[in-house]
Each structure stands twice: as structure tokens, then as C-alpha cells.
């Protein structure tokens, strides 16, 4: 009698290879529960691990993860814990004994993420793993009073193989890093990646500091750095500093130079003309590094940049991603000949921000020249309309899957979605602004989408006369846009392009507009959606604006921005999260109200304090089948407080399907206990954490009860509950 062969009969070497190829954490955890052999094999092949739980339990670490090479210690509870520092000894945790336990449990770590509130933490981990190659430091608390470079000196002194350093979430002074790089030249010369886009900076690196960094690190391949391009300040970054980057680091592949004012990520004014009062001191020669990815967001005018971008395209044939902020004249869009950025034909990702003279014709020219674009973002460009973006979407129908549209005067939510109809069945990631209607005085002189064929001929004829007479150049953009859309539409109707499908005119239900473009009736491949919405505005018009059918949408990010102070109570009782219940697969949400400012304490008569605004934002969230939620509470900047209040705690406790809840702020202990004490609710919830990941994080949390002992009591109560699955 023969027995059936099962996967358990595979040789150990093959089984280890199969399980080693599984990267999803939950899938690996499920595999480890199948049998003891699978468990031991999964543990022996896991190379990446992020530790959660309370830091006081670290001495009980198992020794079965010896193969781990990437270790994340930045998410231990309580968040921002002084791990391995002398202050940790006050919590009955001996730093030296804990360090030895970590060394025994993870002997081969070469990539580390750690929250470091003091230089002693970095000193100990550097001794533990001197072979570290990749290090990311995290600190949202204020910099301690220590000598310059004290945070980095032990790392460079012990870890001679260091090749990547990430300080994007680590608060320090810009004066700290250059002296350390100069003091350890051998380590500095081995660095290939530096991420210095620290979001908590108010002033970025100055020109002399950048020169010191690139001179000390000649083998850099990735350089991401926060700069100060404002010429009114001493040490501003100009052409000389950019030339020193390309001259000292010839192997650079990725360069991001971002002005610190852009890191705040605040939405601009759609009615702004796009020009700033000052011009950046950047010349054409400074824009020609040999790169694969370039981001220049200078927040100061860079005029007539078309020729420089042409040189960039010719000198960098491997350029695949480009982000430009405050660049004007990126393409002239005159006639049918390509110029400017349209000659960067290898681009697969393009982001354009605050380009004052970008028009519909410019978008079409970009689509013709950059025919490989898979990702396109446009922000703060007031002269583009539905017509140009729609034509661009049709021309890039084969490749475009990731689109972001923000702060464009003529593109509200409905207009943005209409423009993307040609690719609605292909797009996978989308960002739009939830601006539901435009003011009449913001509308263009005429809506080219509503002009019939006879009027098109009259307008185009008039435009031709005006252009021949040199009286007005604006009509040329509209004339060419109409021509290219007409050609594309005709091509679709004749069946000459297999990727465009002609559909009949609108049937009265809002589908199609009779111009030959069509992308299917549903957003069938859309799995990620990002939204911006002003405070007090409802979310409910979202489905009727065009996003009514998203069968595969899994993740949504909503950012609410504005000042609640001075605003009266909203006429609606809730924000409108219930409208998202129509997306059947939606399981992950990031609700970011961190840029919503209000009164944490008593509000003036007729206004609402932040607790009532939280009730407004979160009402209806229990109707969604969410498994993961990241929530940023609104803040009171006057007292630097971002707290979860009683109404929000009660509403979150009603989310029956939540498995993970991360609150990016603080809370009272008895509010948090709502999540574990209400009978028959939140039986799936197993991972909850308060993260004060904003600058400056409170040094000693005194505004609420949620301190070290409070976190321990809450986590113990959470872990005592039975878990259904």
C-alpha cells in the first residue's frame, strides 16, 4: 500500500528554500503554526524582524531567530523608549544585560533601525554589532545637550563597514554630521547612501556643509538632503554647491535636493500664480549629473529651464524618475516639435510642482515625448485643465498606473476623475483633492469640454488668426490640445490603436462624454487611494464625483487640513466615512488629521473643541471593515498637544474588525482602556500603540496619564484577552 507524498516529505534544503522565498509576515506566521517542522524552518530562514511589545520583556527573547540580518528596534513600547540608555535602568532593565541578550538572540545583524534618545544607545548598539552596514536612526524628541557629533561618533568609530545611513526621522543639528565625516575618512569613503531629508528641520544644510559632505563621501550613489535655497539667507544652496555634488560624487545615481519649506507638505493656494518673490541661484550646468533619479524642489523660481532639461535628458540616458518644484518653462509647447522635458524620453516617473506656465499643450507634449511614464504627479499648476490631462491620459494609456493631482485650480475632484476616464480600468494608485465645486470667478473664460463641434471650429479659427497676428498666444495651447484629442479620438474610432476603445456618447448616466475616450465603467485595478480634504468639508460626495465603483480598493489615506478655530459647527453631524462602506475590500486606512488645528481645551462660544471635531471626523468608522488603522488626532499647536479624546476612543472601540491600531499622538489611560474593557467588542484587536512621531515629541508626557506604567497596564490587559483566530 502506497502512501501519499506531502510537502513534509520534501528534503530540508528544498523546504528551507521554499519558506525562505515567502516575504509576507502574516503568511510566514501562518506557516509556522502548521507543524513543528515548519515552525523551526520558518524561524531558521527569517532574515527580517521588527520587534513589538514592551521593552521590559526583552530579556525573555527567544533564541530561534539567529538568521535575522535586518532588525527593527524602533517600535518597542512605550514608543520612544530610552533603549539601552542609563535612564532605562530606572525601569528595572539593566542595559548591559539586555545588550548581551540582544547579541545572543541576533548574532548576524548588519541592518538596524533603532530609536535613539541619547548617544549612549548608539554607543551600545555599535559595540553589539560592529559589522553594521545599514543603519537608520529615529528620534522625534529634542536633541540632548551633548557635544557636536556625539550621536554619530560611536557609530563611525566602531562600524567600519557602514555603507548606508538614514537620518530622515532623526532630529539633530546640521552641524553634527560634517565634522564626524571628516574625522573618520575611511568610513566616510565607504558610504554609498545618505538620507538626510530630515522632516523636522526648520533650516536645511547650507552650501558649505554640503560641500564638506560630498568631499568626504566620494563613493555616494544615493544622496537625499534637505537644503536651504533661499538666496536671502547666508549659506544658501546655489549653483556652486550643486556643481560640487556632481564633481565630487561621480557615481551618484539618486539625488534628492529638497527645500525645507517643502517638507512641511502643506497644501498651497490654488489661486497663486506659481511664481515666488525670489529666484533660485541655479544655472544650467548645475542640472547635469549622471543620474537615474533626480528630485529638485527648490521653492524658488527656476526660470526658462527647458534647455537645461534637454541637456539633462541627453547627458543622462538612464534617467527614470524626475521631480521638479518651482521650475518654469519646462517645455515651450510651440508647434509639434518636442522640446524641454519632453525630450527626457526614458522617464518612468515624473512629478511637476508649481510650474506657473505649464499648459494643456505642455501636458500633451510631455505625453508624446515621455511615452514610458508609469507615474505622473502634478501639483499647483493653475493653467492645466481637464482637456489637457484627459488627452495625456489617453496617450499614456499603455503605461500610466499611478497618478496624483493636487492643488490645481481647474481640477477639482470631479474634473480630475473625468480627466482620468481613459485609464480608469488600468490605474492602480491615485491621489486627488476633495474640492467638490469651483467658484465661478475661478472658472476659465469658456469650458472647452462643453464646446460643440461647430463652436470648436470657430474658436480654433479665431485662435489661428490671433496667433498669426501675434496678439495672443494662449489660444495656441487650446488649439493644439483640441487637435491632438481629435487625432487620438479618430484613431480610437478607426480601431488603429488596440489600447484605446471607442464608446458611444454619454447615455445620460454620466458615463463617457462622446469624444471616443473610454476606460471601462469601474476602477477595477485601483488598490490605493489618497485624498486631501479641507477641514469642515464632507466626504460624502466622493462616490458621486466618479469613484463609485472600486471593487479592489484595499487602502485609503485621508489627509484633513485646516484651522478649526473661528469656524462654526458644521451643518452635518459627521464627516462621511460611511460613504466608504461601498468599497468591499477596503481594509487599511490612514486618517491624518494632524494638520487640523483647534482648541484642545475650552473653545469660545459657538465653536467646537477638538474632542467634538474628533467625533465629527470618526463618526461612522464602525461601518467599515478595517483591519488596520493609523490615526493622527488633530492638534493644538499652542500647547503642543495631540491627544485622543473620549468621543474618539468610544468610536474606535466599536470597530469590530480592527487588528492593528496606531494612534500618532497621546491619550489618557482610561480612554485607551475602552478598547479592551467593552464586552464583545474588538475581539480581533491585538496590536495597539501610541506613537508621538512628530516634532517636538513631549520629553516627559504630562498632559495625559499615558506614561510608562500606563502603557504596561494597557498592553497587559490587551494581551490577556482571548484571540478568536
Amino acid at each position: 500500500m502506497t502512501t501519499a507524498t506531502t510537502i513534509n516529505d520534501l528534503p530540508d534544503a528544498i523546504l528551507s528554500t521554499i519558506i525562505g522565498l515567502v516575504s509576507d509576515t502574516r503568511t510566514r506566521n501562518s506557516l509556522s503554526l502548521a507543524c513543528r517542522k515548519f515552525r523551526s524552518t520558518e524561524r531558521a530562514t527569517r532574515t527580517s524582524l521588527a520587534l513589538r511589545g514592551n521593552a521590559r520583556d526583552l530579556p525573555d527573547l527567544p533564541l530561534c531567530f539567529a538568521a535575522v540580518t535586518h532588525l527593527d528596534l524602533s517600535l518597542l513600547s512605550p514608543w520612544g523608549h530610552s533603549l539601552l540608555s542609563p535612564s532605562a535602568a530606572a525601569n528595572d532593565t539593566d542595559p548591559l544585560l539586555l545588550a548581551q541578550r540582544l547579541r545572543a538572540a541576533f548574532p548576524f545583524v548588519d541592518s538596524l533601525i533603532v530609536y535613539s534618545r541619547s548617544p549612549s544607545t548608539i554607543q551600545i548598539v555599535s559595540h553589539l554589532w560592529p559589522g553594521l552596514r545599514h543603519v537608520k536612526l529615529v528620534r522625534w524628541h529634542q536633541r540632548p545637550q551633548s557635544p557636536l557629533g556625539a550621536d554619530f561618533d560611536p557609530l563611525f568609530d566602531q562600524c567600519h563597514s557602514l555603507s548606508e545611513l538614514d537620518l530622515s526621522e532623526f532630529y539633530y543639528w546640521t552641524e553634527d554630521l560634517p565634522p564626524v565625516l571628516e574625522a573618520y575618512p575611511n568610513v566616510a569613503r565607504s558610504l554609498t547612501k545618505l538620507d538626510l531629508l530630515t522632516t523636522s528641520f526648520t533650516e536645511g544644510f547650507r552650501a558649505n556643509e554640503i560641500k564638506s559632505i560630498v568631499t568626504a563621501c566620494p563613493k555616494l550613489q544615493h544622496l537625499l538632503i534637505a537644503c536651504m535655497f533661499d538666496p536671502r539667507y547666508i549659506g544658501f544652496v546655489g549653483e556652486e554647491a550643486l556643481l560640487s555634488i556632481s564633481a565630487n560624487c561621480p557615481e551618484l545615481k539618486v539625488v534628492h535636493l529638497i527645500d525645507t519649506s517643502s517638507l512641511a507638505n502643506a497644501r498651497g493656494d490654488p489661486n497663486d500664480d506659481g511664481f515666488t518673490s525670489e529666484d533660485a541661484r541655479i544655472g544650467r550646468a548645475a542640472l547635469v549629473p549622471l543620474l537615474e533619479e533626480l528630485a529638485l524642489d527648490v521653492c524658488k523660481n527656476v526660470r526658462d529651464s527647458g534647455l537645461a532639461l534637454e541637456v539633462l535628458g541627453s547627458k543622462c540616458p538612464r534617467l527614470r524618475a524626475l521631480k521638479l518644484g518651482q521650475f518654469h518653462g519646462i517645455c515651450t509647447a510651440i508647434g509639434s516639435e518636442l522640446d524641454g522635458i519632453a525630450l527626457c524620453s526614458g522617464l518612468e516617473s515624473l512629478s511637476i510642482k508649481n510650474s506657473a506656465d505649464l499648459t494643456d499643450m505642455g501636458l500633451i507634449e510631455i505625453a508624446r515625448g515621455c511615452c514610458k511614464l508609469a507615474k505622473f504627479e502634478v501639483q499647483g499648476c493653475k493653467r492645466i485643465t481637464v482637456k489637457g490631462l484627459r488627452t495625456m491620459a489617453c496617450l499614456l494609456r499603455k503605461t500610466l498606473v499611478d497618478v496624483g493631482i493636487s492643488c490645481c485650480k481647474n481640477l477639482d475632484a470631479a474634473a480630475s476623475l473625468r480627466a482620468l476616464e481613459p485609464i480608469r480600468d488600468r490605474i492602480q494608485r491615485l491621489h486627488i483633492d476633495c474640492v467638490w465645486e469651483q467658484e465661478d470667478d475661478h472658472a476659465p473664460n469658456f469650458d472647452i469640454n462643453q464646446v460643440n463641434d461647430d463652436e470648436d471650429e470657430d474658436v480654433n479659427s479665431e485662435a489661428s488668426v490671433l496667433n498669426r497676428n501675434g496678439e495672443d498666444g494662449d489660444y495656441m495651447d487650446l488649439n493644439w490640445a483640441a487637435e491632438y484629442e481629435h487625432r487620438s479620438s479618430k484613431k480610437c474610432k478607426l480601431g488603429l490603436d488596440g489600447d484605446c476603445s471607442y464608446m458611444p456618447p454619454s447615455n445620460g448616466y454620466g458615463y463617457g462624454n462622446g469624444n471616443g475616450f473610454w476606460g471601462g465603467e469601474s476602477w477595477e485595478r485601483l488598490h490605493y487611494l489618497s485624498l486631501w480634504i479641507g477641514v469642515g468639508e464632507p466626504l460624502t460626495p466622493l462616490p458621486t464625483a466618479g469613484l463609485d465603483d472600486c471593487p479592489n480598493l484595499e487602502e485609503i489615506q485621508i489627509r484633513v487640513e485646516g484651522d478649526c478655530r473661528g469656524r462654526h459647527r458644521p451643518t452635518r453631524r459627521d464627516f462621511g466615512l460611511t460613504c466608504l462602506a461601498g468599497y468591499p475590500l477596503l481594509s487599511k486606512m490612514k486618517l491624518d488629521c494632524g494638520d487640523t488645528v483647534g482648541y484642545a481645551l475650552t473653545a469660545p462660544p459657538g465653536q467646537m473643541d477638538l474632542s467634538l471635531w474628533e467625533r465629527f471626523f470618526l463618526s461612522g468608522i464602525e461601518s467599515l471593515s478595517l483591519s488596520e488603522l493609523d490615526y493622527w488626532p488633530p492638534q493644538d499647536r499652542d500647547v503642543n498637544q495631540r491627544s485622543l479624546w473620549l468621543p474618539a476612543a468610544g468610536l474606535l472601540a466599536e470597530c469590530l474588525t480592527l487588528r492593528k491600531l496606531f494612534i500618532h499622538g497621546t491619550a489618557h489611560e482610561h480612554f485607551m482602556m475602552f478598547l479592551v474593557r467593552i464586552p464583545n467588542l474588538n475581539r480581533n484587536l491585538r496590536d495597539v500603540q501610541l506613537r508621538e512621531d512628530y516634532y517636538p515629541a513631549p520629553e516627559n508626557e504630562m498632559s495625559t496619564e499615558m506614561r510608562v506604567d500606563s502603557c504596561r497596564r494597557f498592553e497587559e490587559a490587551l494581551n490577556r484577552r482571548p484571540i478568536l483566530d
Side-chain angles (χ1 to χ4, degrees):
M1 179 177 178
T2 60
T3 58
T5 302
T6 66
I7 193 172
N8 285 325
D9 299 320
L10 288 174
D12 291 346
I14 297 178
L15 185 61
S16 298
T17 302
I18 294 174
I19 295 181
L21 293 174
V22 179
S23 58
D24 181 68
T25 302
R26 288 201 64 195
T27 304
R28 294 185 67 96
N29 292 340
S30 300
L31 279 172
S32 67
L33 296 175
C35 62
R36 292 188 177 183
K37 182 178 180 180
F38 277 27
R39 179 184 179 275
S40 60
T41 305
E42 191 280 327
R43 297 293 189 259
T45 57
R46 183 173 293 206
T47 59
S48 178
L49 188 65
L51 290 184
R52 285 283 290 110
N54 202 290
R56 67 193 296 270
D57 298 326
L58 282 178
D60 301 327
L61 273 174
L63 301 178
C64 57
F65 293 101
V68 167
T69 58
H70 173 77
L71 182 62
D72 187 350
L73 298 175
S74 65
L75 300 177
L76 292 169
S77 292
W79 187 89
H81 179 75
S82 301
L83 184 67
L84 303 176
S85 64
S87 60
N91 299 322
D92 300 326
T93 303
D94 189 330
L96 296 180
L97 291 178
L98 178 57
Q100 294 304 318
R101 185 64 177 179
L102 287 171
R103 173 66 181 175
F106 310 108
F108 302 114
V109 170
D110 63 9
S111 176
L112 179 68
I113 305 176
V114 62
Y115 198 102
S116 173
R117 293 183 65 169
S118 66
S120 60
T121 299
I122 303 176
Q123 183 176 7
I124 293 179
V125 298
S126 300
H127 282 282
L128 283 180
W129 299 292
L132 286 175
R133 298 178 57 85
H134 317 294
V135 175
K136 179 177 180 179
L137 302 179
V138 181
R139 180 169 67 202
W140 291 97
H141 291 83
Q142 296 187 30
R143 179 187 182 278
Q145 297 297 324
S146 56
L148 287 178
D151 287 307
F152 309 125
D153 188 80
L155 185 65
F156 281 76
D157 183 45
Q158 297 293 326
C159 304
H160 299 157
S161 301
L162 189 66
S163 61
E164 296 184 10
L165 181 60
D166 187 344
L167 303 177
S168 58
E169 298 181 10
F170 184 76
Y171 181 73
Y172 61 103
W173 294 343
T174 58
E175 303 94 314
D176 284 324
L177 187 59
V180 177
L181 294 175
E182 296 173 358
Y184 298 94
N186 292 333
V187 180
R189 280 195 291 267
S190 66
L191 287 175
T192 59
K193 181 177 180 180
L194 269 179
D195 189 345
L196 308 178
L197 279 177
T198 308
T199 55
S200 54
F201 276 165
T202 55
E203 295 183 2
F205 285 88
R206 289 171 168 78
N208 61 323
E209 295 168 339
I210 292 177
K211 292 178 184 177
S212 299
I213 291 172
V214 297
T215 302
C217 308
K219 294 186 178 180
L220 281 179
Q221 298 180 7
H222 293 235
L223 177 61
L224 299 85
I225 188 166
C227 309
M228 185 174 60
F229 287 96
D230 194 335
R232 296 174 296 180
Y233 288 84
I234 298 175
F236 71 93
V237 175
E239 180 176 333
E240 184 179 355
L242 298 188
L243 284 172
S244 68
I245 294 176
S246 57
N248 288 285
C249 303
E251 301 178 18
L252 275 173
K253 296 180 180 179
V254 177
V255 173
H256 289 202
L257 303 175
I258 310 297
D259 192 273
T260 51
S261 58
S262 181
L263 296 176
N265 199 29
R267 187 175 186 265
D269 182 3
N271 296 312
D272 188 82
D273 63 2
F275 291 101
T276 58
S277 58
E278 300 287 337
D279 290 351
R281 307 294 174 84
I282 299 177
R284 297 173 182 171
L287 299 174
V288 195
L290 296 175
L291 301 171
E292 297 177 5
E293 182 177 330
L294 174 64
L296 282 174
D297 192 349
V298 300
C299 294
K300 299 297 174 184
N301 298 321
V302 181
R303 303 176 186 269
D304 302 323
S305 59
L307 287 177
L309 295 173
E310 290 181 14
V311 175
L312 178 66
S314 63
K315 296 291 185 181
C316 304
R318 295 182 296 174
L319 188 66
R320 295 295 177 264
L322 181 62
K323 178 179 180 180
L324 301 174
Q326 218 69 43
F327 277 63
H328 313 297
I330 59 176
C331 61
T332 58
I334 297 177
S336 59
E337 186 175 351
L338 300 179
D339 69 289
I341 197 174
L343 294 178
C344 299
S345 57
L347 286 180
E348 298 174 1
S349 174
L350 176 61
S351 176
I352 302 173
K353 178 181 178 182
N354 295 338
S355 182
D357 52 5
L358 181 66
T359 61
D360 287 342
M361 185 54 201
L363 291 180
I364 298 168
E365 185 168 331
I366 291 172
R368 291 174 56 221
C370 307
C371 56
K372 299 179 182 179
L373 278 182
K375 178 179 180 180
F376 178 69
E377 296 178 344
V378 62
Q379 178 179 351
C381 299
K382 63 180 295 184
R383 299 185 63 184
I384 62 174
T385 66
V386 174
K387 193 73 170 179
L389 189 59
R390 187 182 180 89
T391 309
M392 182 185 198
C394 187
L395 293 173
L396 295 173
R397 178 168 164 76
K398 291 182 179 180
T399 60
L400 195 59
V401 295
D402 188 343
V403 179
I405 306 166
S406 178
C407 199
C408 295
K409 179 180 178 180
N410 298 316
L411 292 170
D412 58 14
S416 300
L417 296 174
R418 287 200 308 271
L420 297 177
E421 281 182 358
I423 57 172
R424 67 186 303 179
D425 61 334
R426 292 177 177 246
I427 194 167
Q428 299 175 13
R429 297 174 63 89
L430 173 65
H431 171 86
I432 60 171
D433 289 348
C434 293
V435 179
W436 304 124
E437 60 182 14
Q438 298 174 343
E439 300 293 336
D440 292 337
D441 57 347
H442 292 168
N445 293 332
F446 64 92
D447 187 354
I448 197 166
N449 289 301
Q450 299 177 355
V451 179
N452 60 34
D453 294 338
D454 294 335
E455 292 172 339
D456 275 341
E457 294 179 3
D458 296 337
V459 171
N460 292 338
S461 300
E462 182 180 355
S464 301
V465 173
L466 289 172
N467 281 311
R468 282 196 299 270
N469 295 335
E471 297 175 6
D472 193 340
D474 292 339
Y475 285 94
M476 174 170 285
D477 297 334
L478 299 176
N479 186 22
W480 279 101
E483 178 181 341
Y484 279 111
E485 180 147 351
H486 174 70
R487 291 179 183 176
S488 300
S489 175
K490 184 176 180 181
K491 192 175 183 180
C492 295
K493 292 179 183 180
L494 294 176
L496 299 179
D497 188 347
D499 290 290
C500 290
S501 56
Y502 171 69
M503 293 295 288
S506 174
N507 56 9
Y509 293 98
Y511 299 124
N513 60 0
N515 63 359
F517 291 138
W518 194 255
E521 295 185 2
S522 72
W523 305 77
E524 59 187 41
R525 298 188 185 181
L526 184 68
H527 62 81
Y528 174 84
L529 176 63
S530 173
L531 304 172
W532 176 94
I533 188 167
V535 66
E537 295 295 325
L539 190 64
T540 46
L542 182 65
T544 57
L547 279 173
D548 54 334
D549 190 1
C550 304
N552 295 305
L553 182 64
E554 299 175 353
E555 183 176 356
I556 188 169
Q557 178 171 348
I558 304 173
R559 180 165 168 257
V560 186
E561 182 181 356
D563 196 338
C564 300
R565 298 170 297 185
R567 296 183 64 95
H568 296 288
R569 295 174 180 266
T571 55
R572 295 179 52 89
R573 295 184 60 184
D574 60 84
F575 180 45
L577 290 179
T578 52
C579 73
L580 304 179
Y583 305 138
L585 297 185
L586 183 62
S587 60
K588 299 179 182 179
M589 175 184 286
K590 294 182 179 179
L591 181 56
D592 185 357
C593 302
D595 290 319
T596 301
V597 182
Y599 297 103
L601 305 175
T602 305
Q607 300 182 31
M608 299 194 306
D609 59 24
L610 290 182
S611 65
L612 297 180
W613 276 107
E614 278 199 303
R615 174 186 291 171
F616 173 78
F617 292 134
L618 291 173
S619 292
I621 196 171
E622 71 280 356
S623 64
L624 307 180
S625 300
L626 298 177
S627 62
E628 297 183 21
L629 174 63
D630 281 77
Y631 174 57
W632 285 259
Q635 63 168 314
D636 188 335
R637 290 177 179 168
D638 293 337
V639 295
N640 189 32
Q641 184 172 350
R642 308 186 191 205
S643 298
L644 186 77
W645 299 97
L646 177 60
L651 291 168
L652 292 177
E654 297 179 4
C655 297
L656 306 184
T657 57
L658 269 186
R659 298 174 66 93
K660 297 183 179 181
L661 173 61
F662 303 120
I663 300 171
H664 300 262
T666 185
H668 289 274
E669 181 180 358
H670 58 288
F671 292 168
M672 296 297 294
M673 286 299 181
F674 276 29
L675 302 174
V676 295
R677 288 179 176 168
I678 297 180
N680 301 321
L681 293 184
N682 288 303
R683 296 295 296 273
N684 293 309
L685 191 64
R686 64 198 63 189
D687 193 0
V688 183
Q689 190 174 38
L690 298 175
R691 299 176 179 175
E692 298 168 346
D693 49 357
Y694 52 89
Y695 182 81
E699 196 68 32
N700 294 300
E701 178 53 44
M702 300 300 293
S703 60
T704 69
E705 303 168 2
M706 210 63 186
R707 304 186 184 95
V708 174
D709 292 336
S710 304
C711 285
R712 177 178 54 81
R713 287 192 293 268
F714 169 74
E715 289 170 354
E716 289 175 351
L718 186 68
N719 294 332
R720 281 196 301 265
R721 298 176 315 133
I723 297 176
L724 296 179
D725 58 351

